Amino acid sequence: MTRPALLRSVVTGTGSALPVRRVSNAELAEQVDTTDAWIVERTGIRFRHIAGDGETTATLAADASRAALAAAGIDATEIDLIVLATATPDQTFPSSATKVQALLGIPDCVAFDVAAVCSGFLYAVQVADSMLRTGIHKRALVIGAETFSRILDWEDRATCVLFGDGAGAIVLEGQQSDDRPTARGILATRLHADGRHNDLLYVDGGPSTTGTVGKLRMKGREVFRHAVVNLAAVLEETLELAGLTSADVDWVVPHQANSRILDATARKLGLPAEKVVVTVDQHANTSAASVPLALDVAVRDGRIKPGQLVVLEAMGGGFTWGAAVLRY
Ligand code: COA
């Protein structure tokens, strides 16, 4: 039987970038009333990278993109679409995506930012995948990049210990494929939003309200509760869309907010901990950057191999949440 031809978005390269400065829990404990033991026990976090002078969301995004382009073996000028997920853009406008375009020397392409906070990369993946599958765009840079250190209240120990800065990027290319689940590329994506939960995780400022950038505020315990339920549900939903089950999964690359959320979600799905890529200990929560950063780490250290089934998932402010199933 001949299979119907269709376009799929295939990951052809991954890359990531971190600020130079790496900060340990012990160093943080010199500034706020906390301990290494509390942070490790409650979150699994040991280190985070903090952007210094000259390091911004766009410069980190451009560095991650250069690494992804090199891995894909293509020149920046072959990119015709940039979708950048961030909640910490360099400027309110123009988009950081256009800044990345300029930094990479791409004379013309479509470039825009997506705002869905910690699930921003999943939103960006679905947007880019939809655009590539029309055939109008051929090769996309899909990026998650953040400098959350600049919107943290460094006197609030309940939040400032949880976040870090960084960027991750993938090159996504539209390729002729078929409907076999063994085909490479994105097999299914699913996104959700529930705007009733604004007050559980938000920034207390913005251009149209206070005219300031604002600082991050979070009711951690309630966010935790929603995260485990939503993430397990959307993972099952997305696997079902792809005609697969958790038994087919080789790797889960989750949003890296808290190791206890990762453990609880994996347990709910009956997935062994060895299949979950964990980088939260090294990077803390880098919001939209965390999934592509973790993906790049696991590709480069040889864990994720071509042909394997990889599931990406994230949940963040809004709330927003989502998942993607892809064959690497
Ligand atoms: N160091 C030491 N003590 C701290 C602390 C810190 N950095 N931060 C908070 N505490 C204290 C609190 O003041 C509280 O003390 P109290 O009992 O005397 O009032 C105690 O620790 C417990 O605080 P609580 O917030 O209930 O802890 P928790 O077990 O819920 O853990 C989080 C806090 C933030 C680690 C946890 O709720 C969490 O990870 N939530 C989800 C966050 C998340 O994933 N956000 C991003 C989603 S994108």
Side-chain angles (χ1 to χ4, degrees):
M1 189 182 87
T2 29
R3 297 252 171 194
L6 54 83
L7 271 173
R8 273 195 202 286
S9 311
V10 176
V11 178
T12 59
T14 68
S16 59
L18 291 162
V20 174
R21 187 171 162 231
R22 187 174 185 246
V23 177
S24 68
N25 292 344
E27 200 177 331
L28 271 190
E30 290 168 15
Q31 295 163 42
V32 288
D33 181 16
T34 189
T35 60
D36 173 57
W38 189 95
I39 302 173
V40 171
E41 191 204 314
R42 299 293 176 110
T43 71
I45 296 165
R46 292 176 187 276
F47 296 96
R48 74 284 293 138
H49 289 251
I50 303 288
D53 290 347
E55 289 176 322
T56 69
T57 291
T59 66
L60 292 167
D63 287 346
S65 298
R66 287 188 194 99
L69 289 165
I74 63 165
D75 189 75
T77 53
E78 293 178 68
I79 293 295
D80 55 17
L81 173 66
I82 300 175
V83 187
L84 191 158
T86 190
T88 47
D90 284 28
Q91 295 158 279
T92 302
F93 80 80
S95 68
S96 295
T98 56
K99 210 163 165 185
V100 170
Q101 177 198 1
L103 287 169
L104 296 179
I106 303 173
D108 185 26
C109 69
V110 170
F112 57 94
D113 291 358
V114 163
V117 208
C118 297
S119 49
F121 186 73
L122 272 303
Y123 270 67
V125 163
Q126 179 163 315
V127 167
D129 177 44
S130 307
M131 292 176 78
L132 291 170
R133 282 190 294 109
T134 64
I136 295 171
H137 298 276
K138 309 279 182 239
R139 275 185 210 92
L141 268 172
V142 187
I143 311 164
E146 304 277 15
T147 43
F148 258 49
S149 63
R150 306 223 157 104
I151 57 163
L152 294 176
D153 175 351
W154 286 100
E155 291 181 355
D156 176 13
R157 67 175 184 175
T159 54
C160 75
V161 303
L162 304 176
F163 295 89
D165 302 333
I170 59 172
V171 174
L172 211 50
E173 183 175 308
Q175 292 184 358
Q176 288 297 333
S177 184
D178 58 46
D179 65 351
R180 257 182 282 241
T182 50
R184 282 189 75 198
I186 294 176
L187 306 177
T189 59
R190 189 82 171 100
L191 300 176
H192 292 278
D194 184 346
R196 289 172 300 177
H197 301 296
N198 187 301
D199 63 322
L200 297 183
L201 178 52
Y202 64 103
V203 167
D204 63 4
S208 182
T209 48
T210 58
T212 62
V213 173
K215 298 290 181 206
L216 181 144
R217 307 289 170 209
M218 179 170 69
K219 295 188 180 130
R221 191 162 280 204
E222 276 139 284
V223 175
F224 192 106
R225 201 165 43 82
H226 283 276
V228 175
V229 175
N230 289 343
L231 288 171
V234 78
L235 275 172
E236 274 189 350
E237 200 183 358
T238 315
L239 280 167
E240 200 180 316
L241 265 178
L244 299 164
T245 70
S246 54
D248 299 305
V249 174
D250 292 304
W251 295 104
V252 184
V253 184
H255 173 46
Q256 309 283 322
N258 181 316
S259 57
R260 289 187 295 143
I261 298 181
L262 305 189
D263 293 345
T265 311
R267 254 199 320 274
K268 239 174 179 276
L269 286 168
L271 280 163
E274 307 83 71
K275 290 189 173 186
V276 182
V277 176
V278 179
T279 55
V280 69
D281 54 328
Q282 298 299 314
H283 304 154
N285 180 347
T286 57
S287 186
S290 92
V291 170
L293 243 171
L295 178 67
D296 185 51
V297 166
V299 165
R300 282 176 193 265
D301 70 18
R303 270 179 287 174
I304 297 180
K305 296 180 183 64
Q308 288 190 323
L309 194 80
V310 180
V311 180
L312 316 178
E313 48 100 322
M315 140 113 188
F319 292 138
T320 56
W321 65 103
V325 175
L326 63 93
R327 195 164 294 286
Y328 180 69

